[in-house]
Amino acid sequence: MISRRLFLTGAAATATALTYPAWGSALSPRASASAATCELALENKSLPGNVNAYVTGHEQGTDQWVLLRADGSVYHPQSPSAPQTPLPVDCAIPLKAAGAGPVTLTLPQMYGARVYFVRDDTLDFFLNPGPALVEPAFATAADPNYGRTWSFCEFTFNPDQLYANISYVDLVTAVPIGLSLTGDSDHTVAPLPDGAVDKIAADLTTQAGKDGQPWDKLIIRGSDGKVLRVISPQNLMASASPGAMPFGDLWTGYVDQVWEKYSSTDLTIDLQGGKGSLKGRVSGDTLTFDGGHTFTKPDSKSIFTCNDGPFANNPGDPDDKKALLARIAAGFNRSIMLTHPSQPNGTTAADYYQGDVTNHWARVLHANSPIGYAFPYDDVVPDGQPDVSGAANDGNPVRFTVSVGP
């Protein structure tokens, strides 16, 4: 499973679906720290049947794994004697019936956190020595949670802010999640519309028939034949056997064209945030920018994951390199590398995904959802253009509502 946890440690850190900043629009530092807690409201707006929630994360200050319980207490799991030990405490938080209002808890500061929801069932969590929490796996058929209908959102609540996002970097399911954050101002992120998951599955099946790529293999159906979830390309690639990499040749011709284009013309990347622009040219197999930052040719895995090969996220890289990486990776996923030699400014969402070779997962998802991360650097936004990544943040959070149902 591709790790996408949010680990924010400073007020100026830029949140992203990876554990490294996307270096888009940085959050402003605050003069005062957030409160130690805020109210967490968990609500079933419209789903029939029973819904259970789970809240997991790392405790701010101690880095220990913590889970919230239905009685409002905070559970600190202890290191087990053996791997894959079932979580010994019930941490399910039953929600009220659809439309009956929220269950409210006190949320302590925690990072790399998730809120899970599961319909008409519970989720199994396990512990490895450490302790390390083993969370549900959606692309592993052997996982006991595989056949259940569940999803999650991510958040980090630290001394500077509460940041949350609805991320579809890994999957979409028939458990649509919405966010509402109240603090210095109000922030709302809409859930997937009713029926969107079935439309996404249908569109990907159509695309597979057009280009012969395994877009239809992203669809996982339940025992009743209905769409259980749709996983992203990088998760299909992660579960593939050696020598049988899906989408392995998808980007080859496109990347060759990009390298040829920028061997004779400049690729200009605006780092944004007042950091200026850098120009790059290809020589041989290497794209080199002002300042000496270099990128080799990416392949399908590099482009879909945004965290492999030339796009590997190295914490020690300088900020300029990270900013270049985010914008180039976004440019490939959106297939604007040939059409826009200056990026990301000068583009709009209407320019994205227009090529035959593109991230059709991201294209189809954005066509069927109002907002949400479709790939790890979907928060790269041209100056003055609306954000499409589905994030909410506030430096003085008072109430954080996470709901299910369209």
Side-chain angles (χ1 to χ4, degrees):
M1 176 172 153
I2 305 298
S3 175
R4 302 178 298 98
R5 289 282 188 163
L6 296 171
F7 291 89
L8 298 189
T9 56
T14 302
T16 174
L18 290 173
T19 57
Y20 304 100
W23 305 98
S25 55
L27 302 174
S28 300
R30 287 180 48 82
S32 60
S34 298
T37 63
C38 81
E39 185 178 68
L40 173 65
L42 304 172
E43 182 176 9
N44 178 7
K45 286 193 171 181
S46 59
L47 295 184
N50 300 317
V51 178
N52 283 305
Y54 297 81
V55 182
T56 71
H58 298 266
E59 186 174 56
Q60 183 72 27
T62 70
D63 301 328
Q64 296 179 13
W65 276 103
V66 293
L67 297 94
L68 303 190
R69 300 187 67 187
D71 63 2
S73 63
V74 177
Y75 170 62
H76 296 80
Q78 302 301 303
S79 184
S81 60
Q84 292 295 115
T85 297
L87 193 72
V89 170
D90 181 9
C91 290
I93 303 171
L95 301 193
K96 297 178 182 179
V103 171
T104 58
L105 302 168
T106 297
L107 180 68
Q109 291 186 3
M110 54 200 299
Y111 68 90
R114 287 179 175 172
V115 177
Y116 289 87
F117 295 102
V118 58
R119 296 183 63 177
D120 296 320
D121 214 327
T122 58
L123 291 175
D124 290 326
F125 292 80
F126 300 87
L127 293 171
N128 284 341
L133 186 68
V134 182
E135 299 183 270
F138 51 82
T140 304
D143 188 277
N145 303 291
Y146 182 80
R148 299 166 184 168
T149 304
W150 56 274
S151 191
F152 60 86
C153 70
E154 298 178 322
F155 72 94
T156 278
F157 177 27
N158 63 24
D160 299 299
Q161 64 182 323
L162 194 155
Y163 177 95
N165 76 35
I166 296 177
S167 177
Y168 305 125
V169 171
D170 278 335
L171 77 164
V172 293
T173 78
V175 184
I177 297 175
L179 304 178
S180 177
L181 179 58
T182 300
D184 287 334
S185 57
D186 293 331
H187 317 266
T188 302
V189 181
L192 277 175
D194 190 28
V197 173
D198 288 332
K199 292 178 181 177
I200 289 168
D203 288 353
L204 289 170
T205 300
T206 298
Q207 184 59 44
K210 290 180 178 178
D211 63 12
Q213 296 288 336
W215 303 104
D216 55 329
K217 304 302 182 185
L218 305 179
I219 303 163
I220 297 174
R221 298 184 182 274
S223 57
D224 58 1
K226 295 181 179 179
V227 177
L228 187 63
R229 66 183 68 94
V230 187
I231 64 173
S232 61
Q234 60 262 40
N235 282 287
L236 183 65
M237 298 173 85
S239 61
S241 59
M245 183 63 68
F247 303 105
D249 62 348
L250 173 64
W251 292 95
T252 303
Y254 185 87
V255 171
D256 287 345
Q257 292 178 59
V258 171
W259 248 238
E260 181 180 359
K261 178 181 178 71
Y262 296 113
S263 65
S264 57
T265 190
D266 289 335
L267 172 62
T268 302
I269 302 294
D270 191 330
L271 307 184
Q272 300 179 278
K275 299 180 178 69
S277 298
L278 296 178
K279 295 182 183 297
R281 280 284 185 106
V282 170
S283 178
D285 287 335
T286 304
L287 172 61
T288 302
F289 284 87
D290 302 336
H293 305 304
T294 61
F295 297 86
T296 56
K297 282 185 174 182
D299 59 11
S300 292
K301 184 178 180 182
S302 304
I303 292 169
F304 281 133
T305 66
C306 300
N307 190 21
D308 186 72
F311 298 151
N313 290 275
N314 300 309
D317 283 343
D319 289 357
D320 284 359
K321 176 71 178 288
K322 294 176 181 178
L324 286 169
L325 186 159
R327 285 152 181 78
I328 296 169
F332 272 104
N333 277 279
R334 294 167 173 166
S335 61
I336 56 173
M337 295 299 292
L338 292 173
T339 55
H340 292 79
S342 293
Q343 296 184 35
N345 292 330
T347 68
T348 69
D351 299 314
Y352 303 163
Y353 315 116
Q354 296 303 304
D356 291 335
V357 176
T358 193
N359 184 339
H360 287 290
W361 158 263
R363 176 186 65 79
V364 166
L365 196 145
H366 282 303
N368 289 283
S369 66
I371 198 165
Y373 275 95
F375 62 90
Y377 288 124
D378 216 357
D379 59 352
V380 170
V381 181
D383 292 340
Q385 293 294 310
D387 171 53
V388 298
S389 64
N393 69 277
D394 198 283
N396 186 32
V398 175
R399 182 182 175 92
F400 177 38
T401 301
V402 189
S403 61
V404 288

